[in-house]
């Protein structure tokens, strides 16, 4: 997982209104709506519940330490959605204790390896990698106006790619897997065999031909420039949870509204909906 830097995220809070409109244009749903689609939740019911749902974002100093603006940005995304969110005044253990004492409904916190939401009432856990893969696959389903029986390539078969693949299968898509390490793709294919439709999953060993034969792509790698400009067809739709973005600046211009990428917004929104359970 790529570690975010402050300059990756420092503009997110101010840009949430514009990003929400972009999402509406690309998917037909808002940030909250896409997250609800990912978890099959009714947006109207969620709206009625989220104002009363308090989430404390707790800064974590372990390992490489705090990323300036990370907790504030997570809290701003939650607040934009309508949750009762705050960054705890203290970090680490003190921040966690404060959340319990304040009777918060949930905590969100991240060390260098794991970013989770914890529901303090029902003990459920929302993992950022799982939620991110799921919500970007759901966004692609909305962009495509339904992925049933459509060929979708998942590029990058780590935790985010795996979650995206599982979600794509749940939407009825025909899933192809590609990873720079073919063994990783094969291992994921074997894991997916147990899912409905998973037995039809294929492993692609050549990215160029894979992109030519799949009209839809989830780019879930931790690398830049993984999609060469020349491989971008005039109908390809791309949902790119991978950080950094795997598409070049020129590729972004060619794709325009056919590309969806962000570094925290959709994943945090999905984690919050996941935590609300139901
Ligand atoms: C959660 C992000 C998504 C992509 N990479 C992940 C990352 O950067 N993880 C590290 C987050 C560290 C946060 C730090 C703090 O400010 O509390 N411990």
């Amino acid at each position: 997982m790529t570690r975010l830097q402050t300059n990756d995220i420092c503009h997110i809070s101010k840009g949430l209104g514009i990003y929400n409109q972009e999402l509406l244009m690309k998917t037909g749903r808002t940030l909250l709506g896409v997250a609800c689609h990912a978890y099959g939740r009714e947006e109207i019911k969620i709206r009625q519940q989220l104002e009363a749902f308090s989430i404390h974002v707790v800064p974590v100093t372990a390992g490489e330490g705090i990323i300036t603006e990370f907790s504030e940005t997570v809290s701003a995304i939650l607040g934009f959605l309508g949750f009762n969110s705050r960054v705890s005044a203290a970090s680490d253990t003190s921040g966690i204790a404060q959340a319990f004492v304040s009777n918060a409904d949930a905590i969100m916190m991240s060390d260098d390896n794991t970013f989770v939401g914890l529901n303090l009432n029902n003990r459920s856990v929302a993992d950022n990698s799982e939620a991110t893969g799921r919500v970007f696959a759901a966004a692609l389903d909305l962009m495509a106006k339904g992925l049933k029986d459509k060929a979708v390539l998942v590029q990058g078969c780590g935790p985010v790619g795996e979650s995206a693949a599982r979600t794509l299968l749940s939407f009825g898509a025909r899933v192809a897997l590609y990873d720079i390490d073919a063994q990783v793709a094969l291992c994921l294919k074997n894991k997916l065999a147990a899912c409905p439709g998973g037995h039809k999953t294929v492993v692609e060993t050549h990215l160029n031909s894979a992109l030519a034969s799949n009209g839809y792509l989830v780019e879930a790698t931790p690398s830049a420039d993984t999609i060469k400009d020349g491989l971008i067809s005039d109908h390809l739709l791309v949902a790119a949870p991978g950080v950094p973005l795997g598409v070049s600046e020129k590729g972004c211009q060619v794709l325009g509204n056919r590309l969806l990428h962000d570094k925290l917004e959709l994943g945090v929104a999905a984690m919050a909906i996941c935590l609300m359970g139901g």
Side-chain angles (χ1 to χ4, degrees):
M1 174 198 317
T2 309
R3 181 180 170 88
L4 290 172
Q5 296 176 9
T6 300
N7 61 13
D8 289 322
I9 58 175
C10 59
H11 303 293
I12 288 176
S13 303
K14 290 190 294 291
L16 285 167
I18 292 172
Y19 184 62
N20 206 43
Q21 289 309 308
E22 260 181 44
L23 267 181
L24 198 54
M25 185 171 48
K26 292 177 180 178
T27 69
R29 300 289 294 272
T30 62
L31 182 58
L32 182 65
V34 176
C36 288
H37 183 58
Y39 288 89
R41 303 299 309 282
E42 277 186 61
E43 187 174 344
I44 292 173
K45 283 188 182 164
I46 289 289
R47 282 186 188 282
Q48 289 163 355
Q49 298 163 5
L50 51 72
E51 267 181 36
F53 197 81
S54 59
I55 304 176
H56 286 209
V57 183
V58 180
V60 173
T61 61
E64 294 192 48
I66 283 172
I67 297 175
T68 303
E69 295 287 337
F70 176 80
S71 295
E72 292 75 9
T73 302
V74 172
S75 183
I77 294 165
L78 295 168
F80 177 81
L81 294 170
F83 287 95
N84 172 8
S85 71
R86 75 183 69 174
V87 177
S88 58
S91 63
D92 306 302
T93 311
S94 307
I96 294 167
Q98 269 177 10
F100 276 88
V101 168
S102 315
N103 210 22
D105 292 298
I107 285 172
M108 283 196 185
M109 57 194 291
S110 181
D111 60 21
D112 293 346
N113 305 303
T114 307
F115 176 22
V116 290
L118 307 168
N119 184 310
L120 304 186
N121 302 317
N122 65 18
R123 299 167 56 87
S124 65
V125 179
D127 174 80
N128 175 257
S129 294
E130 193 280 332
T132 299
R134 184 165 177 162
V135 75
F136 270 85
L140 188 62
D141 182 60
L142 291 167
M143 289 169 80
K145 295 181 175 39
L147 284 172
K148 184 162 173 42
D149 299 327
K150 293 182 181 168
V152 186
L153 176 65
V154 176
Q155 185 182 358
C157 296
V160 174
E162 174 175 347
S163 178
R166 290 179 185 278
T167 306
L168 292 167
L169 287 172
S170 75
F171 287 127
R174 284 186 284 112
V175 175
L177 305 171
Y178 174 84
D179 193 283
I180 199 163
D181 179 342
Q183 277 307 312
V184 171
L186 192 57
C187 176
L188 179 53
K189 171 183 165 58
N190 294 335
K191 284 170 84 173
L192 294 176
C195 302
H199 60 288
K200 295 179 198 163
T201 301
V202 297
V203 170
E204 295 276 5
T205 49
H206 295 89
L207 184 57
N208 294 15
S209 58
L211 282 170
S213 52
N214 291 272
Y216 305 88
L217 171 65
V218 174
E219 202 285 345
T221 76
S223 310
D225 291 332
T226 53
I227 307 169
K228 300 306 172 207
D229 297 346
L231 296 176
I232 298 173
S233 69
D234 57 8
H235 60 276
L236 182 68
L237 288 186
V238 181
V243 176
L245 175 59
V247 181
S248 71
E249 269 191 46
K250 180 169 183 303
C252 289
Q253 285 163 14
V254 170
L255 283 166
N257 287 337
R258 291 186 283 135
L259 168 64
L260 183 60
H261 171 72
D262 74 36
K263 292 187 171 53
L264 264 182
E265 297 94 321
L266 277 166
V268 168
M271 287 168 75
I273 300 307
C274 175
L275 282 180
M276 292 190 76

